Amino acid sequence: MTTINSVDFVKSKIRDVLDFPVKGIVFKDITTVLRDKDGFKEIIKFLKDKFADKNIDYVAGIESRGFIFGSVLAYELGAGFVPLRKPGKLPGETLSQSYELEYGTDTLQIHKDAIEAGKRVVIVDDLLATGGTAGAACKLIYQTGAEVVAAAFVIELQDLKGREKMPEGVETVSMIVY
Ligand code: AMP
């Protein structure tokens, strides 16, 4: 079980960077947690506890900070790791899902043959804000015919209501809520 203390400990290691990447944004910097061996371990422990008994076949990490947590979680769960990448990065045949940004659109891609239909998948990213990215990640996984069991985040900015963008049936898990 993860205690309140481990949540507070990890929270204490997250650095707020004002006006990054643009004015008005408070960027939640997780590099200051990653460099702390206990902080990184507590995050992985939290995520592993949530999914250890859920028969997860694949962890799908969202580029790029989702790769850091997602790959270690996959290893810990004995699951496969699948990267969800920005366009033009994956060498094989891909599926794509676009989503709205404040200005314009962005796209995530997955290898067409990365996940078999019916498999159980957890999506991982560092942070849930408006939910546009994670919502698109769910749709991308659905294109493969697989099931999205949960979307998991280290940080959730609850005022931005990203949780509401997650499709029905997808559990939203976050370690630290602001
Ligand atoms: P969204 O699609 O709005 O939920 O945004 C989530 C994505 O943007 C994640 O991949 C985050 O890494 C990044 N992101 C959004 N807001 C922040 C923030 N305040 N601090 C750090 N990363 C952020």
Side-chain angles (χ1 to χ4, degrees), residues 77-146:
L77 293 177
F81 176 77
V82 174
L84 306 183
R85 301 215 62 182
K86 303 278 166 61
K89 302 283 189 184
L90 292 169
E93 247 193 285
T94 56
L95 300 168
S96 299
Q97 183 69 51
S98 295
Y99 56 102
E100 301 285 326
L101 298 173
E102 200 176 344
Y103 302 102
T105 62
D106 214 339
T107 302
L108 282 175
Q109 294 188 324
I110 187 173
H111 271 143
K112 216 171 186 171
D113 58 0
I115 298 180
E116 304 85 351
K119 294 294 183 184
R120 291 170 60 79
V121 179
V122 171
I123 287 167
V124 174
D125 203 358
D126 66 328
L127 185 143
L128 176 67
T130 66
T133 311
C138 291
K139 287 185 188 154
L140 191 55
I141 300 299
Y142 291 151
Q143 288 190 45
T144 68

Side-chain angles (χ1 to χ4, degrees), residues 8 10 30-31 51 60 69 79 97 102 110 117 121 124 136 140 149 152 176 178:
D8 283 346
V10 169
I30 46 103
T31 66
F51 301 113
F69 304 105
Q97 183 69 51
E102 200 176 344
I110 187 173
V121 179
V124 174
L140 191 55
V149 175
I176 294 162
Y178 288 93

Side-chain angles (χ1 to χ4, degrees), residues 25 41 87 101 134 164:
I25 299 287
K41 208 184 275 178
L101 298 173
E164 293 173 14

